[in-house]
Amino acid sequence: MNIQDTIKQQISDNTIILYMKGNAELPMCGFSARAVNILKSCQAQFATIDVLQDEAIRNGIKVYSNWPTIPQLYVKGEFIGGSDIMAEMFEAGELQTLIKDVQG
């Protein structure tokens, strides 16, 4: 399996997945910490992939999404965005609705 196939599999295997630096317990950058805090505020159940552990994933996810920065959030296979977009959606109430809809 190439890295794009691996990423596609990770995204399809997890309803909500966050590609980030570090993990939910120990984010390794402010943007990743912000993303985790937003998801926790939504009571989201989510998986994380630490891009610092695998350079191929770190570069591959940027190609996969055509998005240059990390963190990256995917919900039901759809790319949502990074921490700024997550924050905007959270402030508008959109992210809470999206997460509630997928977690039922």
Side-chain angles (χ1 to χ4, degrees):
M1 231 171 34
N2 71 30
I3 198 64
Q4 294 300 311
D5 291 334
T6 301
I7 290 168
K8 187 174 186 176
Q9 187 68 50
Q10 291 169 338
I11 291 169
S12 68
D13 286 350
N14 295 281
T15 304
I16 302 173
I17 187 166
L18 181 68
Y19 288 83
M20 62 179 288
K21 294 177 181 173
N23 58 51
E25 290 73 42
L26 187 63
M28 299 301 284
C29 83
F31 295 108
S32 290
R34 181 181 184 197
V36 166
N37 288 335
I38 290 169
L39 288 172
K40 286 182 176 178
S41 294
C42 296
Q43 284 86 43
Q45 297 170 357
F46 61 100
T48 60
I49 301 290
D50 181 359
V51 300
L52 298 176
Q53 299 297 317
D54 189 333
E55 191 66 28
I57 296 239
R58 184 177 186 172
N59 293 319
I61 194 63
K62 295 174 184 179
V63 172
Y64 185 88
S65 63
N66 196 26
W67 190 261
T69 59
I70 292 167
Q72 293 186 13
L73 176 66
Y74 291 80
V75 177
K76 288 194 85 169
E78 182 183 344
F79 175 58
I80 303 301
S83 64
D84 289 347
I85 291 169
M86 290 173 65
E88 289 171 14
M89 289 179 70
F90 181 77
E91 288 166 17
E94 296 168 9
L95 192 61
Q96 297 89 321
T97 301
L98 177 64
I99 288 169
K100 185 177 171 190
D101 287 349
V102 300
Q103 291 189 334

